[in-house]
């Protein structure tokens, strides 16, 4: 049986724990699973959403306003709205982090749309991907 809360975007996985519907738009919470050297979202900022990343396993590298932060298990980083950031896994072990975003404007619908745009034969249409980002308040940097 397919896990409705697991969304595959390229090699990355999003496992939704609380989506925008469950929280009435207050927050979104998910596990973010990134294999080594996987393609990750382009640098961007959120127009209206604050984000917190908390390391669960492996090490996620989060670049926030040009400064790299190694998020190991138990470490947390707050990403205020308006700050350019990206996440990547530069290490040899799969990284897993807990992400919380508030308010819950970037959730299931966004990730499902991104999966449809990214998981295609050949190269994804980058302009279409950017249009989806902008629709949900993510601004490509």
């Amino acid at each position: 049986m397919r896990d409705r809360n697991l969304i595959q975007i390229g090699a990355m996985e999003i496992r939704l724990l609380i989506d925008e519907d469950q929280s009435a738009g207050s927050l979104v919470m998910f596990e973010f699973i990134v294999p080594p050297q996987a393609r990750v979202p382009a640098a961007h900022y959120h127009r209206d959403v604050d984000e917190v990343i908390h390391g669960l396993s492996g090490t996620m590298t989060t670049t926030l306003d040009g400064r790299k932060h190694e998020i190991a298990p138990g470490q947390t980083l707050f990403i205020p709205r308006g700050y350019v950031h990206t996440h990547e896994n530069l290490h040899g072990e799969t990284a897993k982090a807990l992400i919380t975003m508030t308010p819950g404007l970037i959730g299931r619908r966004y990730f499902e749309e991104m999966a449809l745009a990214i998981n295609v034969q050949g190269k994804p249409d980058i302009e279409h991907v950017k249009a989806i980002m902008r629709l949900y308040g993510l601004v490509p940097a």
Side-chain angles (χ1 to χ4, degrees):
M1 176 181 243
R2 183 181 168 276
D3 181 351
R4 180 178 181 273
N5 291 323
L6 181 65
I7 301 170
Q8 186 89 31
I9 303 174
M12 298 179 308
E13 294 180 353
I14 306 292
R15 183 177 308 280
L16 288 161
L17 303 173
I18 300 173
D19 70 23
E20 62 272 33
D21 293 335
Q22 293 169 306
S23 72
S26 296
L27 67 90
V28 169
M29 181 183 289
F30 58 92
E31 290 178 343
F32 184 42
I33 303 153
V34 182
Q37 308 305 319
R39 290 187 55 127
V40 293
H44 63 278
Y45 67 88
H46 304 161
R47 209 175 37 233
D48 303 308
V49 172
D50 294 321
E51 180 174 348
V52 175
I53 178 170
H54 176 80
L56 297 174
S57 63
T59 301
M60 190 83 67
T61 302
T62 297
T63 302
L64 175 60
D65 265 1
R67 183 168 167 236
K68 289 190 182 298
H69 301 265
E70 297 290 320
I71 311 297
Q75 295 181 317
T76 302
L77 180 67
F78 174 66
I79 304 167
R81 64 191 75 188
Y83 282 72
V84 174
H85 62 282
T86 189
H87 308 289
E88 57 191 331
N89 181 353
L90 303 174
H91 304 277
E93 170 187 357
T94 295
K96 185 190 304 187
L98 180 67
I99 305 280
T100 304
M101 292 193 280
T102 186
L105 303 175
I106 305 167
R108 179 183 304 279
R109 288 179 284 281
Y110 169 75
F111 293 120
E112 288 175 342
E113 286 188 45
M114 287 301 286
L116 288 173
I118 297 291
N119 300 339
V120 296
Q121 292 287 335
K123 289 189 169 209
D125 178 346
I126 297 304
E127 291 309 311
H128 178 60
V129 168
K130 288 180 180 179
I132 295 168
M133 291 174 72
R134 286 189 288 273
L135 181 64
Y136 288 88
L138 288 86
V139 180

